[in-house]
Structures are given as structure tokens and as C-alpha cells.
Amino acid sequence: MEKVNIIIPIYNSEEYLFKCLDSIKNQTLEGIKAILVNDGSTDSSEKIIDEYVNTYPNIFEKINKENGGQATARNLGLEKATRRIC
């Protein structure tokens, strides 16, 4: 069971995404789950997300959605994390 859920809304963030996801991957706390919410990115963010989800499925989980803004992406990730806890 996860101890910590990290919700990351992503929209055209390819320039910073590797650094962000590597930081999460390298944490020493066990039970971290990162929910990556792709908010309709048009750059290579989705490809980067897929790479991490496929390589580290125990840490990263992906949700795709149409672009709706940071708040809707966060709320979708929160809904997913909450369903897992209940």
C-alpha cells in the first residue's frame, strides 16, 4: 500500500520532466506512488511519461485527459488517489 501519493499535472513540460521524475524515482522512502496526469500535452511529455511508467510501474501511474488546466488535472489525480485509499 502507498504511504505517499504525489500528483503531478503535466502540460508541455518536456524540458523539466526528466529532472522531476528522476527526483521522485530516486527517493528512498518506500511506498511512493506518483500519479502523472497528462493534461493534453502536445510536446514529447507523453513519450517521457510512458518511458517512466513502463520502466518503473511500481512508482509511476499515468492518466491522460484533454487539456483543461492545472486544477482539473490535480483534481483528477486526487480522485484516483482517494479511490485507492478507500
Side-chain angles (χ1 to χ4, degrees), residues 55-69:
T55 306
Y56 308 100
N58 57 321
I59 300 173
F60 299 103
E61 182 175 335
K62 174 179 136 182
I63 300 174
N64 273 327
K65 64 180 280 312
E66 288 185 25
N67 183 262

Side-chain angles (χ1 to χ4, degrees), residues 15-58:
E15 184 177 344
Y16 309 101
L17 205 47
F18 284 111
K19 187 174 182 179
C20 174
L21 301 181
D22 280 343
S23 176
I24 294 167
K25 171 185 66 100
N26 293 328
Q27 294 299 311
T28 57
L29 177 67
E30 291 187 24
I32 290 178
K33 188 68 162 189
I35 301 170
L36 311 177
V37 184
N38 181 22
D39 191 25
S41 294
T42 56
D43 64 358
S44 64
S45 292
E46 185 170 11
K47 182 179 177 187
I48 297 167
I49 293 167
D50 288 341
E51 180 182 325
Y52 279 80
V53 168
N54 291 332
T55 306
Y56 308 100
N58 57 321

Side-chain angles (χ1 to χ4, degrees), residues 1-6 28-34 58-59 81 84-85:
M1 184 162 141
E2 294 84 26
K3 295 178 183 176
V4 176
N5 285 295
I6 304 167
T28 57
L29 177 67
E30 291 187 24
I32 290 178
K33 188 68 162 189
N58 57 321
I59 300 173
R84 195 178 305 121
I85 293 170

